[in-house]
Amino acid sequence: MSTRLALSQCPRFFRLLTTRSCRPTPCSINIPQSAVGDVRCLWVSSRTRSYSSTAKGFGVPSTRLHTSATSSQRLSPAEWWRRRGSNPPAHGTVVRPRRRGATAFITLFGFLGGTVLGFYLYDREGFNHNVLALVRSSRALKTGFLMGVDYKWSLRDDEAKIGKEEYERRKSACHQRSADRMLELCKDNQGIYIKLGQHIAAMVFLLPLEYTETMRPLQDRCPMTPFADVEALFKSDLGCSISDMFSEFNPQPLGVASLAQVHRARLLTGQEVAVKVQHPYLDEYTPVDIATTCFIVRLAKKVFPQFDFDWLAEEMQESLPQELDFVNEAANAQKAKALFADQSVLHIPEVYWSARRLLVMEFCAGGKIDDVEYYRKHNLSVMEVSAELSKIYSQMMFLHGFVHCDPHPGNIFVRPRPRPLLSYIPILRWFLSNPHNFEIILLDHGLYRQLSNAFRLDYAHLWASILAGNEPDILLYSYKLFSYGKYGSASPAKASDGIEYHRLFASMLTGRSWDVISDHETGLAQKRTTHEFEVIKAKASTGRFFLAIADILAKLPRELLLLLKSNDLLRAVDEKLGVADAGAEGGMDHMLRTVATMGWYCALAIKRETTRQMVAQRAEMGIVRPVWTEEAYWRSVVGYWRVGIRVWALEAWLWGRRVFRRLSAAG
């Protein structure tokens, strides 16, 4: 005799014996009546031992069933202690164990959540600041991590294994992916990250083209601060509103940079001014951003020992605090204005009032230095503007030693002015402070570098050697400059991987190939051709040249690094104006004039500094004999006049050729 039991009424043990894919069906099976009790006992006994082995894969936890069938079993002290005080379960029920891991996790989560909520309620402003700082840092760390992994994986095979062409292709693709990641990071975090991106974009001849081209949009696309935040900044820093200081204030900024934005306003006296306002969020996040950047750079150095970019982090640590202090910027502007007081071709706006995050200065209208349409509209000569800009920076570097180190197009304007009548006479125009029909306006004086006299003299000697194509002197003064700062030594280093470092450094400084520099006939006076640019680009993209450039940048003193950046920015302006192109009209004349002008200021700096050092030595030693009795003095004088006569002869020749061309065209 058998008893019919539906599967839905069978104990759970039967369902455990089936696979996961099996589903209970309304079918039935025949079980003898005498076996029913055995089946139930079997189910009860099965629940008294662990299912961890028999029910593996079904997700059933290990447990024991407390029924009358198990009451006669002897319990261990630990088991008895765990079950104490609990009522015995009903017959046929399963007691679920307490999940201690889940309980601990919930407790910890609740504790942390309560702590975070407490901090938020206690100091909401500080809490939001910390959260945003954490988000910014996590973005930077994530980007740095992805870039490191990408480089490690993409360049896991060396050049000898996969071939030079494939290796360069992989490296270029990796450069581009990393540059895209960095661009997104700069756009998301803004602030000093945009400044970092602009710094990278400026180093056209020093860093891979993928980075400099990708970062170029950051030069003109900076997010603006809302006007409400500008008003709040006035109240927090000055304790007064905008209407208390200005009769008019345009809420739409004239220009937005990475660190500040400029508004047009009118004082209560009626005078029109430009108001420079720092982005308020920089005060909160700059220390965190600098620390994060330094951490990523040091981490990258450990992962990639061959790439040493500590100079980038150190430069940010040194330069950013200066740029964020507008009182320091006002002092720099006043000093530069005094140094160029006798030259009206350069105009530096007058600073009326300054605070740490606010600056009120003279309003100056004009066009950007690289705006070719503005030149055409106001009948300005791009050749003359470029030549005068080269003169201004030659004086800064070689004569004054006080250099404006951020000459990108947004910081240099040009505006028209009436041209003096005497400027049309070749000899008399030399006595005019500004014989041109334009003025160059220099803005943003936050980043300057003061050069020591010894550094300035060696730098002038180096440029004089480069202009003359004198390789022994280039070698000497290149490594003398390396001796300044904490890196490098004055002794020349051996060539690495077939690369002469002094030649590469001269090319980095001038943006020209060594074949052009070493040409004793024309040298740097040659126009830059497309072929030359392609040669420089091809060499800079190769692995050994890239490593050599990174090594040189790591050894350079900070002053020389900023001078390299300034030279790159000035060359970028010339390229945008088209004055150095092979096909530009008058391009050869412009290059000749630029090289001659730089040689003039180098010779003048050497003469002045040599005389100053000789006078100082005699005063220290108590020697009364005049300096003109020394041979070194006359060498510097002869060198100065040799260059000066060449410059005058060149100017006269270029003027005569222009007149001849005009007469020929008229006839």
Side-chain angles (χ1 to χ4, degrees):
M1 186 176 190
S2 62
T3 302
R4 184 175 298 273
L5 296 176
L7 282 179
S8 58
Q9 299 174 355
C10 291
R12 193 171 176 224
F13 176 77
F14 272 71
R15 292 198 297 272
L16 289 175
L17 296 179
T18 63
T19 60
R20 286 187 177 181
S21 61
C22 296
R23 299 289 183 183
T25 59
C27 65
S28 60
I29 58 176
N30 292 326
I31 301 176
Q33 181 67 31
S34 59
V36 173
D38 296 337
V39 169
R40 288 178 177 172
C41 292
L42 177 62
W43 170 65
V44 172
S45 62
S46 67
R47 300 300 293 179
T48 62
R49 62 180 182 270
S50 174
Y51 284 140
S52 60
S53 59
T54 59
K56 184 176 182 180
F58 292 92
V60 181
S62 300
T63 184
R64 292 184 181 274
L65 180 65
H66 311 300
T67 63
S68 58
T70 62
S71 60
S72 61
Q73 297 178 353
R74 184 178 299 276
L75 300 177
S76 65
E79 187 71 13
W80 176 86
W81 176 263
R82 189 176 66 83
R83 300 183 186 181
R84 75 193 192 286
S86 60
N87 296 324
H91 180 72
T93 61
V94 179
V95 177
R96 300 290 181 183
R98 291 180 296 177
R99 299 185 179 181
R100 297 187 177 183
T103 304
F105 175 77
I106 294 174
T107 304
L108 178 61
F109 183 79
F111 173 75
L112 293 177
T115 304
V116 171
L117 180 61
F119 278 118
Y120 173 75
L121 296 176
Y122 177 74
D123 184 8
R124 296 188 180 185
E125 184 177 352
F127 177 83
N128 293 332
H129 164 74
N130 292 331
V131 170
L132 290 177
L134 181 62
V135 171
R136 293 167 66 86
S137 300
S138 62
R139 286 177 188 153
L141 292 173
K142 176 186 176 183
T143 302
F145 174 77
L146 292 177
M147 290 172 62
V149 171
D150 196 356
Y151 274 105
K152 276 290 187 182
W153 177 255
S154 301
L155 306 180
R156 64 190 183 277
D157 298 325
D158 56 12
E159 186 175 330
K161 183 178 180 180
I162 61 176
K164 180 179 179 180
E165 184 177 351
E166 176 63 18
Y167 183 83
E168 295 300 329
R169 188 194 65 79
R170 289 186 183 182
K171 186 176 66 175
S172 178
C174 187
H175 283 334
Q176 188 60 56
R177 289 192 299 270
S178 299
D180 292 337
R181 293 188 184 103
M182 186 174 291
L183 178 63
E184 290 302 317
L185 173 65
C186 294
K187 289 181 178 179
D188 291 338
N189 281 2
Q190 303 177 10
I192 71 167
Y193 287 92
I194 292 182
K195 191 71 177 178
L196 175 63
Q198 292 175 347
H199 190 75
I200 293 174
M203 308 183 78
V204 179
F205 294 91
L206 305 179
L207 296 178
L209 190 65
E210 292 85 358
Y211 281 92
T212 56
E213 289 298 320
T214 303
M215 297 297 163
R216 191 178 294 275
L218 295 177
Q219 297 284 12
D220 300 316
R221 300 177 186 175
C222 299
M224 63 173 286
T225 295
F227 184 65
D229 294 343
V230 174
E231 287 184 309
L233 180 62
F234 270 86
K235 292 181 180 179
S236 63
D237 285 22
L238 304 180
C240 62
S241 62
I242 292 178
S243 59
D244 295 335
M245 297 183 62
F246 306 99
S247 59
E248 297 178 14
F249 193 96
N250 190 346
Q252 190 68 23
L254 295 173
V256 182
S258 57
L259 304 182
Q261 60 190 38
V262 179
H263 293 262
R264 191 172 183 175
R266 191 177 297 275
L267 296 175
L268 298 178
T269 58
Q271 185 176 4
E272 196 173 26
V273 295
V275 183
K276 187 175 181 179
V277 183
Q278 188 177 126
H279 298 307
Y281 61 84
L282 291 175
D283 256 11
E284 299 183 51
Y285 304 121
T286 296
V288 177
D289 292 342
I290 292 178
T292 304
T293 305
C294 293
F295 173 77
I296 293 175
V297 168
R298 295 190 182 98
L299 183 62
K301 183 179 179 180
K302 292 182 178 180
V303 178
F304 304 97
Q306 66 272 33
F307 299 107
D308 187 359
F309 288 100
D310 280 349
W311 57 270
L312 187 59
E314 292 177 2
E315 178 55 35
M316 289 181 60
Q317 286 180 305
E318 184 175 354
S319 300
L320 275 174
Q322 299 179 25
E323 294 186 79
L324 292 174
D325 187 359
F326 289 172
V327 176
N328 175 69
E329 179 176 347
N332 290 337
Q334 294 298 335
K335 183 175 180 179
K337 192 177 183 68
L339 291 174
F340 288 91
D342 58 340
Q343 297 186 19
S344 58
V345 70
L346 175 64
H347 182 77
I348 296 177
E350 186 72 30
V351 176
Y352 300 127
W353 179 85
S354 64
R356 187 177 66 86
R357 298 196 292 178
L358 295 168
L359 187 69
V360 180
M361 56 187 172
E362 174 190 359
F363 176 79
C364 297
K368 286 187 177 182
I369 193 71
D370 62 346
D371 188 353
V372 180
E373 288 298 324
Y374 187 86
Y375 286 79
R376 294 171 182 168
K377 182 179 179 181
H378 295 88
N379 194 25
L380 304 179
S381 170
V382 293
M383 298 291 181
E384 291 183 358
V385 172
S386 176
E388 289 302 319
L389 185 62
S390 177
K391 287 181 182 179
I392 290 169
Y393 268 84
S394 294
Q395 292 180 57
M396 286 183 178
M397 294 177 182
F398 302 123
L399 298 184
H400 306 314
F402 190 63
V403 186
H404 182 285
C405 294
D406 198 15
H408 67 77
N411 290 339
I412 308 176
F413 282 13
V414 60
R415 66 180 180 184
R417 68 183 292 270
R419 185 167 187 171
L421 294 177
L422 295 179
S423 64
Y424 294 97
I425 304 176
I427 299 177
L428 296 180
R429 73 191 310 268
W430 283 85
F431 299 96
L432 299 175
S433 61
N434 185 6
H436 306 286
N437 64 337
F438 61 85
E439 285 181 335
I440 294 177
I441 304 171
L442 191 59
L443 305 173
D444 195 354
H445 301 271
L447 183 58
Y448 273 77
R449 191 62 89 233
Q450 181 67 60
L451 308 179
S452 65
N453 291 327
F455 182 94
R456 184 167 52 85
L457 179 61
D458 287 337
Y459 190 65
H461 273 297
L462 174 62
W463 267 102
S465 304
I466 291 174
L467 296 174
N470 188 343
E471 185 172 2
D473 284 350
I474 294 175
L475 175 66
L476 172 63
Y477 290 106
S478 293
Y479 288 98
K480 284 189 70 174
L481 288 172
F482 278 27
S483 65
Y484 294 94
K486 66 180 183 179
Y487 298 111
S489 62
S491 59
K494 295 182 179 180
S496 173
D497 198 12
I499 301 174
E500 298 288 346
Y501 272 28
H502 67 283
R503 294 183 178 183
L504 179 58
F505 176 61
S507 296
M508 292 167 59
L509 193 62
T510 59
R512 308 299 297 271
S513 67
W514 176 253
D515 293 337
V516 173
I517 297 172
S518 58
D519 188 347
H520 295 282
E521 294 184 3
T522 54
L524 295 183
Q526 301 179 38
K527 292 182 291 186
R528 184 182 289 109
T529 62
T530 305
H531 173 70
E532 182 189 0
F533 182 77
E534 291 297 329
V535 168
I536 295 174
K537 177 183 174 182
K539 287 187 176 181
S541 63
T542 59
R544 62 194 190 101
F545 272 92
F546 181 69
L547 292 176
I549 291 174
D551 189 33
I552 289 176
L553 293 176
K555 290 184 170 68
L556 288 180
R558 303 285 77 81
E559 296 86 354
L560 194 52
L561 184 64
L562 285 177
L563 293 181
L564 281 174
K565 172 192 172 186
S566 301
N567 289 332
D568 272 354
L569 287 171
L570 293 174
R571 278 194 295 270
V573 171
D574 279 351
E575 289 178 359
K576 189 69 178 293
L577 295 176
V579 297
D581 294 340
E585 183 179 356
M588 187 65 181
D589 294 352
H590 171 75
M591 296 302 295
L592 285 170
R593 183 184 290 109
T594 301
V595 169
T597 301
M598 289 194 67
W600 165 272
Y601 284 109
C602 288
L604 181 59
I606 292 171
K607 173 183 174 294
R608 287 183 178 180
E609 189 58 26
T610 300
T611 304
R612 189 197 66 80
Q613 288 183 359
M614 294 176 67
V615 171
Q617 290 176 358
R618 277 162 173 70
E620 184 179 355
M621 300 174 62
I623 299 176
V624 184
R625 188 173 55 189
V627 295
W628 51 264
T629 60
E630 296 290 336
E631 180 183 355
Y633 171 78
W634 288 108
R635 280 201 305 266
S636 65
V637 172
V638 171
Y640 166 71
W641 282 109
R642 184 189 295 121
V643 176
I645 292 173
R646 289 179 180 176
V647 172
W648 289 339
L650 177 64
E651 287 288 345
W653 178 70
L654 293 176
W655 178 82
R657 193 166 68 168
R658 285 198 303 270
V659 173
F660 178 76
R661 287 175 178 173
R662 290 176 182 176
L663 292 176
S664 300

